Amino acid sequence: MIEALMLAYPWLKAAHILFVIFWMAGLFMLPRMFVYHQESAVGSPEDKAWIAREERIASIILNPAMLIVWVLGLSLAYVTDAWMQGWFIAKLALVIGLSGYQGWLMRYRAQLAAGARPLSGRALRMLNELPGLAAVLIVILVVIRPFA
Ligand code: HEM
């Protein structure tokens, strides 16, 4: 098993980075859609259209991409024995945070579909900065490895 994963290592890493890109794209798109969605009247045809779009982003991009990033990331950690390395532990903490943020997005999507508008457009735009900030820190950790 480990021999096969070692051989596949460069492909695992290439696929990992690709699905990270898809995941981040979904994390940036969905809150932006929430902002425009909230400007539509509850129950209107536009409201229903946004609900359908958000459902597609969640089921086609966000949830599969997050799952695949985790599976490939943990496979890479197994192949490179990264478990006890400081950069990896810090990275994992940030990625668990990103996964929690996605959980919150899914709850907010359900609230919007139920007709609630819990946060202002401004608050949603500010929250939308979080994945970007996390991505900067994660990439610095995994490429620069500021601490072993
Ligand atoms: C979901 C949990 C994740 C785990 C368990 C994980 C784990 C790993 C591991 C072990 C490596 C290989 C490092 C090596 O080659 O020695 C790696 C590479 C990488 N990861 Fe992740 N990762 C995860 C999520 C992410 C996320 C969310 C991002 C970006 C936002 C990311 C960006 C990268 C990049 C850019 C590389 C390539 C680094 C290089 O080639 O030097 N990873 N990841």
Side-chain angles (χ1 to χ4, degrees):
M1 171 68 172
I2 184 79
E3 289 77 20
L5 281 176
M6 293 293 274
L7 273 178
Y9 169 65
W11 291 96
L12 282 177
K13 189 146 71 167
H16 178 66
I17 297 170
L18 264 177
F19 280 94
V20 161
I21 294 168
F22 300 148
W23 187 23
M24 298 310 295
L27 286 176
F28 289 134
M29 262 194 292
L30 195 57
R32 181 60 56 174
M33 292 170 84
F34 290 166
V35 171
Y36 301 131
H37 181 175
Q38 294 204 157
E39 289 160 5
S40 68
V42 175
S44 65
E46 201 195 350
D47 178 37
K48 292 193 176 81
W50 280 116
I51 291 169
R53 290 184 196 117
E54 288 155 7
E55 201 285 323
R56 280 199 298 276
I57 292 279
S59 58
I60 298 171
I61 300 179
L62 270 170
N63 293 333
M66 181 179 78
L67 183 67
I68 294 168
V69 166
W70 270 102
V71 170
L72 294 170
L74 294 172
S75 308
L76 285 166
Y78 176 63
V79 171
T80 61
D81 194 23
W83 309 115
M84 298 318 292
Q85 297 177 38
W87 68 267
F88 178 75
I89 294 167
K91 177 181 175 181
L92 209 55
L94 284 167
V95 178
I96 290 168
L98 264 184
S99 306
Y101 174 73
Q102 177 157 323
W104 175 81
L105 286 178
M106 294 304 144
R107 269 199 309 283
Y108 198 85
R109 183 175 70 82
Q111 290 173 310
L112 283 181
R117 305 287 190 254
L119 293 177
S120 68
R122 180 176 152 68
L124 282 171
R125 284 191 178 89
M126 284 168 65
L127 278 169
N128 202 13
E129 302 307 322
L130 289 178
L133 182 62
V136 169
L137 296 173
I138 291 169
V139 171
I140 290 171
L141 281 167
V142 72
V143 176
I144 311 297
R145 304 190 179 188
F147 36 85

